[in-house]
């Protein structure tokens, strides 16, 4: 099974990916996570990407595509992956199609999580992530039991706010989504791969809907 999760920032791609990974054993590849790791490690790609990410702009296609291909190759997971945050432009989608065609591993399905922009702003500004296990909280809707600490990780789990989850960057990321990524809906609709799920509401309810569209395949 080869899946793409498509949706604006804050639509819950990362949270829903966790459910699908646990249930179906696919490998979760988040370009945002790969890039943040590259920034932290100070690699060449990370140095090039850092300032671009902070503003909420898109990192150049060739860097992101290279990162994805390297990762798929290294882990040898061409047959079972879930891409979260990639592709984010028509050009990236075409590069992905060409790469997968070469390996005779076409996409199985593209799951689109639909959430209105107003709801996204609150989700993104309230988002906190555990630095230890990656669990995602929201200070408005799903706060931790103890302020700033992960419920699952005892004293190791500090909750952090992402550098790009500030008001200016959030607004820019939503504009970038509308201009660059939204056209992918028509692109994947045309190829018959697109399935849209209502991404508002509680995590478990959304996970059920995601599971339903996967099962229907
Ligand atoms: P995310 O964690 O998916 O919200 O991504 C965080 C940031 O990483 C984005 O705002 C972009 O700057 C960069 N990024 C992630 N995925 C891509 C991509 N496919 N193409 C270009 N930039 C990306």
């Amino acid at each position: 099974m080869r899946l793409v999760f498509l949706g604006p920032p804050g639509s819950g791609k990362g949270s829903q990916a966790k459910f699908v990974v646990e249930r179906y054993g696919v490998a979760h590849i988040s370009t945002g996570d790969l890039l943040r790791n590259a920034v932290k490690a100070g690699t060449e790609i990370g140095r090039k990407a850092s300032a671009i990410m902070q503003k909420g702009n898109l990192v150049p296609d060739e860097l992101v595509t290279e990162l994805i291909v390297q990762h798929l190759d290294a882990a040898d997971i061409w047959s079972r992956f879930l891409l979260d945050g990639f592709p984010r432009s028509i050009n990236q989608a075409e590069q992905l199609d060409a790469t997968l065609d070469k390996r005779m591993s076409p996409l199985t399905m593209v799951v689109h999580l639909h959430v209105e922009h107003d709801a996204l702003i609150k989700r993104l500004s309230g988002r906190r992530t555990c630095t230890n296990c990656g669990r995602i909280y929201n200070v408005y809707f799903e706060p931790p039991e103890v302020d700033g600490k992960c419920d699952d990780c005892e004293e190791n789990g500090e909750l952090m706010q992402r550098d790009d989850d500030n008001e200016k960057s959030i607004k820019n990321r939503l504009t970038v989504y509308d201009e660059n990524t939204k056209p992918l809906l028509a692109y994947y609709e045309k190829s018959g791969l697109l399935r849209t799920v209502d991404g508002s509401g509680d995590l478990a309810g959304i996970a059920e809907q995601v599971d339903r569209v996967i099962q229907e395949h």
Side-chain angles (χ1 to χ4, degrees):
M1 186 159 62
R2 292 171 289 275
L3 301 173
V4 164
F5 269 19
L6 194 61
S11 57
K13 299 186 295 295
S15 303
Q16 293 302 323
K18 277 197 165 181
F19 288 116
V20 174
V21 165
E22 272 167 29
R23 172 117 204 232
Y24 294 97
V26 291
H28 179 201
I29 304 169
S30 149
T31 33
D33 286 347
L34 290 178
L35 286 164
R36 278 183 288 278
N37 289 342
V39 171
K40 226 188 267 171
T43 65
E44 201 188 330
I45 291 182
R47 282 197 299 277
K48 287 181 183 159
S50 175
I52 302 172
M53 290 173 73
Q54 213 148 7
K55 288 194 192 122
N57 290 324
L58 291 186
V59 173
D61 290 342
E62 57 283 4
L63 288 188
V64 186
T65 307
E66 188 189 323
L67 201 63
I68 284 271
V69 172
Q70 270 176 10
H71 191 77
L72 287 165
D73 266 339
D76 196 14
I77 43 177
W78 289 96
S79 63
R80 42 172 195 93
F81 58 74
L82 186 169
L83 297 180
D84 156 8
F86 182 92
R88 253 174 157 101
S89 65
I90 296 280
N91 185 35
Q92 289 183 9
E94 288 172 349
Q95 287 182 14
L96 177 65
D97 280 349
T99 309
L100 294 177
D101 277 354
K102 259 192 252 161
R103 288 166 172 86
M104 314 246 271
S105 317
L107 288 176
T108 313
M109 186 187 300
V110 175
V111 180
H112 165 220
L113 296 170
H114 174 77
V115 183
E116 297 295 340
H117 276 203
D118 287 354
L120 294 170
I121 293 172
K122 202 149 192 203
R123 281 194 188 181
L124 289 165
S125 56
R127 178 163 66 181
R128 301 290 182 274
T129 309
C130 173
T131 48
N132 190 43
C133 72
R135 180 167 166 188
I136 299 165
Y137 294 83
N138 188 291
V139 293
Y140 305 117
F141 317 119
E142 212 199 330
E145 278 167 25
V146 179
D147 215 18
K149 297 273 181 204
C150 178
D151 298 350
D152 299 336
C153 293
E154 296 178 6
E155 69 268 21
N156 289 328
E158 294 290 328
L159 301 190
M160 293 289 290
Q161 182 168 31
R162 272 171 47 169
D163 286 348
D164 56 354
D165 278 346
N166 61 73
E167 199 184 327
K168 200 168 163 201
S169 178
I170 289 171
K171 285 200 175 136
N172 187 40
R173 281 152 68 206
L174 294 176
T175 305
V176 167
Y177 176 81
D178 283 344
E179 287 174 0
N180 296 274
T181 313
K182 224 174 176 181
L184 288 178
L185 299 178
Y187 179 91
Y188 286 123
E189 177 80 65
K190 210 166 143 195
S191 53
L193 291 174
L194 191 73
R195 302 288 180 275
T196 293
V197 162
D198 179 0
S200 53
D202 67 295
L203 283 180
I206 304 163
E208 260 174 43
Q209 291 183 63
V210 169
D211 201 39
R212 203 170 312 135
V213 296
I214 293 175
Q215 290 287 331
E216 276 165 11
H217 181 75

